[in-house]
Amino acid sequence: MKALFYPAINLMGRLRYAHKFLLLGLLALGAVVLLQVNLYQALDRVIEPSREELLGLEAMVRLNRTIQLVQHDRGLAAGFLAGNKLLAQRQQAKAAEVDAAFLRLAEALPPEVLAAARWREVSGDWRALRQFGLEWPQQTNTLRHEQLIAKMLTLASDVADASALTLDPDIASYYLMDVIVKLPFFTERLGQTRAFGAAILARKVVTEAERLQMASLLGHTRIARDLQTANLEKVVNYNPALRGVLGSLDQNVDAGMRIALGMAQDDIIDARFGISSEQYIEQFTNLIDQIYAGGSEVLAPALRDHIERRIDKARTGLAWIVVLSALACALFAYLAVGIFLALTGQIQGVLHTLRTLSDDSAERAQLVEAIAAGDLSREVHEPPALEMGGLAARRDEIGALVGAIAAMSAAQQSLGRGFARMARTLRLHRDEERQQDWAKSGINALNIELRGERALPELTQAVVSFLTRHVGGAVGALYLHDAGRQELVLAASHAYTTGTAPRRQFAAGEGWAGSAVRSGAIEVLSPVPPGYLDVASALGQAGPAAVAAVPLMHNGELVGLVEIGTFGEFDAPRLAWLRQAAEAVAVAVGVEHARRRVANLLEQTQVQTEELLVQQEELQQSNEELEERAQLLEQQREVIRQKSAESEQASRELRRKADELERISAYKSEFLANMSHELRTPLNSMLILSSLLQQNKEGKLSGKQVEYAATINGAGKDLLNLINDILDLSKIEAGHVTLELENVALGDMASQLQALFQPLAEHQGLALHIALAAGAPAQLRTDGQRLLQILKNLLANAVKFTAQGRVGLDVRVCQAAEAGGQGRTGEALAFAVSDTGVGVAPEQHERIFHAFQQADGSTSRKFGGTGLGLSISRQLARRMGGEITVSSAPGAGSIFTLYLPLDAGAVPAAPPPAPDTARAPAIAGFAVPAGAQPGAAARASAMAMAMEDDRELVLPEYRCILIVEDDLSFARILRDTVREHGFQAIVACDGEDGLALAERYRPNAILLDVMLPHIDGWGVMRSIKDNPATRHIPVHFITCLEDRQKAMGLGAIGFITKPVSAQQLDEVLDSIGAAIARTDKRLLVVEDDEAEAMSVAALLETDGLDISIARSGGAALALLAQGRYDCMVLDLGLSDMSGFELLDRLRDSACAPQMPVIVHSGRSLNEVDEARLRRYADSIIVKGAKSPERLVGEVSLFLHLVESSLPQDQQKMIRRALDKEAMFEQRKVLLVDDDIRNIFSLSSVLAEKGMHIVEAGNGAEALAQLQAHPDIDIVLMDIMMPEMDGFEAMRRIRREPRWARLPIIALTAKAMLGDQKQCLDAGASDYLAKPVDLDKLFSLMRVWLYQAGEVA
Amino acid sequence: MNEQDIVELEIGLLVSAVKQAHGYDFSGYASASLTRRLVAWLGKSGFDSFGAATSALLRDALLCRALVEDVTVNVSDMFRDPPFFKALREEVLPHLRTYPHARIWVAGCAGGEEVMSLAILLREEGMDQQCRIYATDLNESVLERARQGMFELRDMQRYTKNYQLAGGCAAFSDYYVARYGRALFDPALLRNVVFAAHNLATDADFSEMQLILCRNVMIYFKPALKERLLSLFDGCLTPGGFLCLGTKETLDQRAIAPRYREMAAPVRIYRKQYAAGAQA
């Protein structure tokens, strides 16, 4: 319910009480005024119709009068027109009377009626009657009058309606009104009767119709009279006051009625005509007038009175209401003011009380705040008793409120008293605490000052400043005790002025402070004598009042002393505090001392720990590495194990292949055996015929021809011998030899041999000695023929290869094991054939027994023979269960020993021997004699698949080319081509073999493939170049790979790519031939100092190097013009021209374009010189202790690079032709690099492209160059440079707006992501990793130059 | 999968993340040593695990630098292994003297102690204008330190002793000014030194060098990285140039070994032979 009032409460809550009451009063007053106005209006509504009624009544009365007059006029007019001329005058007077009545009527008529049509009609009709009425016949006149009257009657009802006469609310006045309104109707009936009757009477004739009409009129009149009478009765009933007047009036009218009506009945209807028309009219007129008079004189005034009374009554009521309500308002206002004054007065009282209370509370709250904030200085008052006055006695709510406030005030008062007490107590406590706080916070602050690791000077400074400030001192000084010197030394001071600087040090016990130190207690000097010490500020100075000396003791030991001077006295708390503080300071200083010692120790330890850690890390790391090594070794061992398994497998394979070959060999031997027979047949006839020719029996042949025939015969015999031997050997190898065992008498055999070889030996001047040892058996069971064949062969060889000395055969018994054969036991017979001939190198011992071995061509030509003898002998010996061994050394003669079992039949013959090689017989070295010479160096190759080549024939005077190629068919082509070009060819099928052969045979050149098993061509190349023995050998690559650059880089002399045409091969071999032809490299030493020149020449002198010396630049140029040199060593200081000049001239004359130049100079070179030299010289050596060594190295390096430069240059020329690009031509490039070689190599490449090159050695130079050459199109910027690096340079370039779009390509050696980003951030347009890939560089330059062109 | 496996896996991820995000490649570092150093770093860094550290490292370049600084070994001495410097002075510098301008690469220069030693050596031999030293390290902050040419005073006694043992003929104190616990070396000594960041694990070589010092760096690398490093050195060393390794490092069993000859046996100075045509 209360919620409903919230808006009102809200509104009221905002208003002061005076306004509240004013608002309420205004509202009440408004209500009263509203009520009064309404009431007034209501009463006015009652009065207004009554007034209208009065007006309407007046109009009605006048209308009735007018009607009365018109009726009169009708009657007069009718009489006149009917013939009574007497009436004319009366009628005229009457008409004028009517005119006046109309005028009066018009004044009284209500406006709406006046404005209506009916009134105009009525007044129009009357005007017509007035003007023309007398000219009309009587009937017409009467009729028009009647019509007029009828209209006027209607007008009367209009008036009644307009003035609401018929609606009168008062029943008394209603009937009055009704009578008055209906009065004309009644009189009209009378009037009509009058007029009708008057006319008849005037005529004195009456028709039946007129009688009837007259009768009807009379009837109507009577009825009207009855109605009037009834109404009048009602009027009387409601207005009893009128009864008397009306009664008499009514009686008069009734009497007049009776007379008049009797007249009409008698005189007219009954046609007596007893009366004149005047009389008749008179009678009726009187009656009518009487009636009208009654109406206007009785009824109308009565009605008027009635209405006026009613109006008065209403007015009175209205006055009462106004007065009463005004009174009520006044009372209300009075009471309201009273309430307001009473309420505000009370509230003011309460408010005042409360204000007093709240002021008091606020004051106290401020005090509490102040106390809480620590301000205890304010005085605390007890609150005064509260004056309540009479308010407390009041019984209303205010009284209760005041009571409550009084109780509160009492509580407040006691609270105030307690509070005052509390404040006093607090003040006491606070003073105590402040004292303690000062001491404690001082100690705390001191501790804070002492805390932390601070060096002693800082610490003491902080301490002395703090102590002095804290005790309110003016000056202070802190001395530290130096235990070593037994002195106190000033460590820090506070506020000392220069004039009063304290003493730097003093001894304990010295002076007053010293005594304080000795006593260990604080001493105070007060008062201080004037001039003892001054304390100065900027404004002035004064002496302190007291000085305290505070010794610092730690663990009973003196640490130092603090002296403080103050302007005031030292009170007890301060001294106590100083004592406390002194302890803390002493401890801190002591601790600081200790800490410094510890820190020093710790630092040392840390450094050592760090070092130890790193060392440990390194040790650990190297341990791990050792472990890794061990693992690696283990892996290698494993690999070796695998390899040995593999090789075992391979050897098994080999053995299998050997078996196969053996079979093949057997077929071959059989074939040979058959073939030999076939060969011998034609040979026979040739021998015979040539022999015949030689005899020249017919003498027809010339001597020359005979000689030819002899040669043919001799050759034929040789061939026959060879064939026989081949046949023999193949028979043995094919196992076709059967031994015919017999007992051979050794003595017989010896003498037989003696006889056979004696002449031969004698012919060569040799001694022949054949002897049987003492223990030798007389005979031997073996195949005698074969034994003899072997011995003959051995002896023939011995004789053949022995130029002088002796040849001998010794037969002795020996142990079978001596023969070297496995599983042999028992005794054997040894036939040792010894000689003093050329001998055989030990490594050749096995080889000479092999069939078809190539041998030294010269040897074969020298000694002749088929070279199959030893082979056959050994095969035979083995067949007989024996063996042949050789023991020989070059130049020491040879001993071939044939061991035979005593009984060949008892010993199983050796299996048919394995053929020694599988080499095709077609290229067999026919000339190899048994007991071949050691000159033919060859490896006993176990390479079963090796290709036939010339390795056995290699001779020093022949040029030899090593082919390293694993594709056998291509190797064969190469071999053949090589041979066609007059070289010997050695073929290796893999890298290892190639390396071994290269080292063994030192070929003149090497053709090298890259794709090789095991070691590839690159590896072979490196090894060749690493080996001092082989590095001079030119190597030409023939490979399917395209890496020409690499090959040339490794020092190859040439490079062609497979497949190659025969023509290409020819060219290659021609160039090799040319290269080899120049066996000697030519070196030019240009040096004006003779001794130096000689020493350089001596230093560089090696086999195959032809050194020329030029002692002047001119001489050097002359020499260079004459012939080609492979390398030049140049001293810069020449007598006739400088080295630079020489180099310039050399370059200009182009006589030695590709020759490497090594500058060997004692001059120290600056960068400019070096840069200049770098254009020509390939290497610069500054003379010094180690320069000879380097010179040798560089010279050998360049001499072997000579060949490589040619194809490179050709390539360059081709590239130059292709690379001429419009984009690069005439463009200017700035090369920024600190490495002159880089600049040189890049600039030469760029120059080939037609670019102009500007160089800079670091960032600063680059900037300078850019300034000097504003038309630079592109910059190539190295990053790592001295002075100003590339990053900085690029940043600076980009700072200049005109270079904002200059393309800069950064050259960086780093691959890190950040580095490249850094390049771009620094302003590089792009970047390129080093080492520079030229193709990439050109691509980049195309991109950036293109852009630059577009922009330009 | 036990804890150790997890840590190994995490370290692998971390190494890969650092490589991809910042370009520092530790994958070639000897794993035992790297693990020890990373574990030590983790303890210091305040991360719970390598996983957490990896995620932070991916986003924080500064943290990565701190990691690089801690993981790489940056301790060195001036004239460390005095016999080495003696040999350098006696055996190598006479050769370098024959070049009008020699280029020297100190790979992994750390705090610059070795560079400074070398610079002093060159000055004493009167070759300081003749040689340019390229001092590189992958760790930018130690490079910054090296550029300053300032060393702790506490080490100076040791350095002085090393210097004397290394055949120093002047007063070592001529080269520096000691103050505020530091010894500032003559800035002119570093005039011909180019300091640059270079990552041996990823970056390419420089152009031709006559002398390369890479001492006590390879021991922290795996064999494959060692091979890479050595072939890098081989690639930029001119014939007749010198390669100096730490006392615990050797060329034995390495691919480039055949082209090198050991000069002064105990101190690991190798000389590249003239044989191969290295002018390419």
Side-chain angles (χ1 to χ4, degrees), chain A residues 902-1221:
Chain A
L902 292 176
D903 185 352
V907 179
D916 296 290
T917 69
R919 289 192 179 85
I923 35 89
F926 294 122
V928 175
Q933 287 302 296
R939 185 166 62 121
S941 174
M943 202 169 55
M945 40 66 79
M947 174 174 305
E948 168 274 323
D949 60 17
D950 302 334
R951 68 183 70 185
E952 307 293 341
L953 298 168
V954 166
L955 294 170
E957 62 267 35
Y958 273 80
R959 294 175 307 172
C960 165
I961 291 181
L962 172 64
I963 298 161
V964 187
E965 170 62 74
D966 63 335
D967 172 6
L968 283 181
S969 59
F970 186 64
R972 200 165 290 127
I973 293 166
L974 284 177
R975 180 197 68 202
D976 295 345
T977 317
V978 163
R979 282 184 179 157
E980 279 166 22
H981 281 80
F983 301 100
Q984 289 182 310
I986 301 174
V987 181
C989 298
D990 58 47
E992 285 152 329
D993 206 19
L995 282 174
L997 290 173
E999 180 155 14
R1000 193 169 297 257
Y1001 292 101
R1002 311 275 163 83
N1004 298 83
I1006 297 173
L1007 293 177
L1008 182 58
D1009 188 14
V1010 174
M1011 306 281 280
L1012 293 171
H1014 308 312
I1015 309 176
D1016 69 3
W1018 309 126
V1020 172
M1021 182 68 178
R1022 276 195 204 95
S1023 300
I1024 287 170
K1025 292 296 175 193
D1026 285 347
N1027 186 345
T1030 55
R1031 68 181 185 204
H1032 64 280
I1033 301 172
V1035 178
H1036 198 293
F1037 276 94
I1038 301 179
T1039 175
C1040 0
L1041 295 180
E1042 295 288 356
D1043 209 345
R1044 167 181 289 271
Q1045 215 49 44
K1046 186 169 181 182
M1048 302 317 266
L1050 287 168
I1053 63 160
F1055 185 98
I1056 56 170
T1057 313
K1058 291 180 193 174
V1060 291
S1061 68
Q1063 193 184 351
Q1064 275 179 304
L1065 274 182
D1066 288 344
E1067 283 169 13
V1068 167
L1069 287 164
D1070 286 344
S1071 76
I1072 290 175
I1076 295 171
R1078 282 192 295 109
T1079 48
D1080 286 355
K1081 304 285 191 213
R1082 304 190 65 197
L1083 173 70
L1084 179 61
V1085 177
V1086 187
E1087 170 68 68
D1088 59 348
D1089 182 283
E1090 184 148 354
E1092 178 76 24
M1094 293 312 289
S1095 70
V1096 167
L1099 177 71
L1100 296 176
E1101 195 168 17
T1102 59
D1103 283 346
L1105 183 63
D1106 177 12
I1107 302 175
S1108 310
I1109 296 173
R1111 300 220 160 71
S1112 68
L1117 286 172
L1119 280 174
L1120 285 167
Q1122 280 167 21
R1124 178 193 168 106
Y1125 284 88
D1126 297 309
C1127 185
M1128 178 166 83
V1129 177
L1130 173 66
D1131 186 3
L1132 288 177
L1134 298 174
S1135 52
D1136 56 343
M1137 63 177 82
S1138 77
F1140 295 106
E1141 204 181 330
L1142 173 63
L1143 286 170
D1144 285 339
R1145 304 239 319 243
L1146 206 56
R1147 194 65 37 173
D1148 294 342
S1149 67
C1151 56
Q1154 311 307 336
M1155 178 179 66
V1157 177
I1158 299 169
V1159 172
H1160 185 231
S1161 171
R1163 269 176 68 172
S1164 63
L1165 295 163
N1166 60 25
E1167 295 224 7
V1168 180
D1169 290 340
E1170 195 190 353
R1172 195 172 156 204
L1173 280 178
R1174 281 288 170 199
R1175 300 192 173 283
Y1176 315 116
D1178 298 85
S1179 180
I1180 304 172
I1181 301 172
V1182 179
K1183 284 180 190 171
K1186 293 290 180 180
S1187 62
E1189 195 179 324
R1190 195 169 148 224
L1191 185 59
V1192 172
E1194 303 273 346
V1195 166
S1196 74
L1197 195 63
F1198 286 118
L1199 283 178
H1200 294 295
L1201 282 172
V1202 168
E1203 287 82 356
S1204 65
S1205 60
L1206 184 76
Q1208 234 170 1
D1209 269 296
Q1210 286 171 343
Q1211 194 197 2
K1212 248 187 208 170
M1213 282 166 66
I1214 294 164
R1215 198 173 68 201
R1216 194 173 300 162
L1218 288 173
D1219 274 2
K1220 277 281 178 192
E1221 278 183 46

Side-chain angles (χ1 to χ4, degrees), chain A residues 705-957:
Chain A
Q705 283 167 332
V706 171
E707 199 181 318
Y708 290 163
T711 308
I712 292 169
N713 188 249
K717 276 181 185 161
D718 285 348
L719 192 53
L720 185 61
N721 283 338
L722 180 62
I723 290 167
N724 284 340
D725 281 352
I726 289 169
L727 185 62
D728 232 359
L729 188 61
S730 22
K731 266 188 184 164
I732 299 164
E733 283 184 355
H736 289 169
V737 174
T738 50
L739 295 178
E740 292 177 14
L741 296 180
E742 57 183 336
N743 286 327
V744 179
L746 290 174
D748 292 353
M749 193 189 64
S751 49
Q752 197 179 345
L753 284 171
Q754 181 81 37
L756 196 59
F757 283 97
Q758 190 63 41
L760 208 58
E762 277 172 8
H763 178 253
Q764 280 191 243
L766 298 173
L768 178 66
H769 173 77
I770 296 176
L772 293 174
Q779 59 179 23
L780 174 73
R781 182 167 175 80
T782 188
D783 185 332
Q785 285 306 310
R786 297 298 177 187
L787 176 58
L788 201 60
Q789 186 182 352
I790 294 169
L791 290 176
K792 272 157 80 176
N793 185 278
L794 290 177
L795 280 169
N797 274 345
V799 169
K800 194 191 292 177
F801 290 108
T802 307
Q804 59 183 14
R806 54 171 288 280
V807 173
L809 167 63
D810 294 291
V811 183
R812 62 188 164 85
V813 177
C814 68
Q815 290 302 310
E818 195 184 313
Q822 288 94 351
R824 288 196 185 144
T825 52
E827 291 188 331
L829 209 54
F831 301 81
V833 177
S834 57
D835 64 44
T836 57
V838 290
V840 180
E843 65 268 25
Q844 304 292 328
H845 287 177
E846 261 321 284
R847 215 180 136 269
I848 55 178
F849 290 103
H850 293 174
F852 307 119
Q853 282 293 7
Q854 303 99 322
D856 188 337
S858 64
T859 314
S860 78
R861 278 191 297 279
K862 191 171 163 191
F863 298 107
T866 63
L868 291 177
L870 275 176
S871 190
I872 294 168
S873 299
R874 176 174 267 187
Q875 302 288 4
L876 282 177
R878 285 180 179 170
R879 287 295 291 157
M880 291 190 290
E883 181 57 281
I884 294 176
T885 64
V886 63
S887 132
S888 172
S894 313
I895 302 171
F896 289 85
T897 310
L898 167 68
Y899 298 94
L900 283 179
L902 292 176
D903 185 352
V907 179
D916 296 290
T917 69
R919 289 192 179 85
I923 35 89
F926 294 122
V928 175
Q933 287 302 296
R939 185 166 62 121
S941 174
M943 202 169 55
M945 40 66 79
M947 174 174 305
E948 168 274 323
D949 60 17
D950 302 334
R951 68 183 70 185
E952 307 293 341
L953 298 168
V954 166
L955 294 170
E957 62 267 35

Side-chain angles (χ1 to χ4, degrees), chain B residues 8-28:
Chain B
E8 263 174 41
L9 188 66
E10 280 186 321
I11 286 179
L13 292 172
L14 183 141
V15 166
S16 159
V18 167
K19 180 178 176 183
Q20 287 179 41
H22 304 288
Y24 293 109
D25 185 1
F26 290 110
S27 60

